[in-house]
Amino acid sequence: MQLKVGDKAPEFKLEDQDGKTHSLSDLKGKTTLIYFYPKDETPGCTAQACSIRDNFEDLKQMGIDVLGVSKDDVKSHAKFVDNHELPFDILADTDHTMIEAYGAWQERSMYGRKFFGTQRSAVVVSPKLTIEAVWPKIQPLKTVAEVKAWLQSRNG
């Protein structure tokens, strides 16, 4: 199911790289970019995380918090965050319930083989916990530019 602007953001309760639990209610009162990616330490995912890291202060100044989500476990995320000095939390969705709820678990194909996996995508959750923007498919190095363009169009 693909989320649409105006939808209520789906509930979640997941641990980050430090084992701290995060849930939807933690986002109340904030504007949060949640981006979904396939796998820690792969070229596209690392480039995307580092691009967000390099623009993190700009995003914060624009009033945007950031959460990453993949099906890797807490231990993998801890290493990924340390290796790349990521200043934001990454949630471990090992059974992909949040990834599915947010429409990012999709049939993919690689080398002619079909399988289900995480589609690189992003959403912005509003302070009122509704979906404010949706990118059902996003390129690793265009994530920040897309969010900034959306913010500018929203703010006039």
Side-chain angles (χ1 to χ4, degrees):
M1 177 195 98
Q2 192 57 58
L3 291 173
K4 295 182 293 306
V5 171
D7 286 353
K8 184 173 175 357
E11 290 288 338
F12 63 88
K13 193 174 202 153
L14 296 172
E15 289 185 351
D16 68 16
Q17 70 278 358
D18 300 319
K20 179 179 173 246
T21 301
H22 294 255
S23 65
L24 181 64
S25 61
D26 297 336
L27 308 184
K28 196 170 181 67
K30 304 181 220 170
T31 301
T32 307
L33 166 67
I34 303 176
Y35 80 99
F36 299 89
Y37 66 96
K39 189 149 183 50
D40 292 343
E41 299 298 354
T42 56
C45 298
T46 300
Q48 182 178 34
C50 291
S51 169
I52 294 170
R53 174 201 67 203
D54 295 347
N55 289 277
F56 185 70
E57 284 308 314
D58 285 356
L59 291 170
K60 291 291 280 184
Q61 286 177 358
M62 294 172 176
I64 302 282
D65 273 2
V66 177
L67 280 177
V69 182
S70 88
K71 61 184 180 55
D72 296 301
D73 63 19
V74 169
K75 204 168 130 188
S76 174
H77 284 339
K79 234 189 262 174
F80 190 50
V81 166
D82 284 349
N83 287 350
H84 303 287
E85 299 176 5
L86 303 179
F88 50 88
D89 292 321
I90 299 180
L91 306 183
D93 189 10
T94 54
D95 60 3
H96 47 80
T97 50
M98 180 182 182
I99 296 169
E100 285 184 47
Y102 281 75
W105 190 252
Q106 298 179 2
E107 186 174 61
R108 319 246 337 259
S109 76
M110 189 181 283
Y111 308 118
R113 201 182 105 243
K114 290 198 180 301
F115 62 96
F116 275 86
T118 305
Q119 174 64 54
R120 187 181 315 279
S121 57
V123 300
V124 173
V125 176
S126 78
K128 293 181 177 148
L129 307 181
T130 58
I131 301 299
E132 228 176 319
V134 179
W135 294 272
K137 199 173 188 178
I138 201 159
Q139 293 180 346
L141 296 176
K142 294 226 170 117
T143 307
V144 172
E146 293 278 354
V147 172
K148 285 182 176 179
W150 167 78
L151 270 171
Q152 286 168 338
S153 71
R154 183 187 80 160
N155 297 338

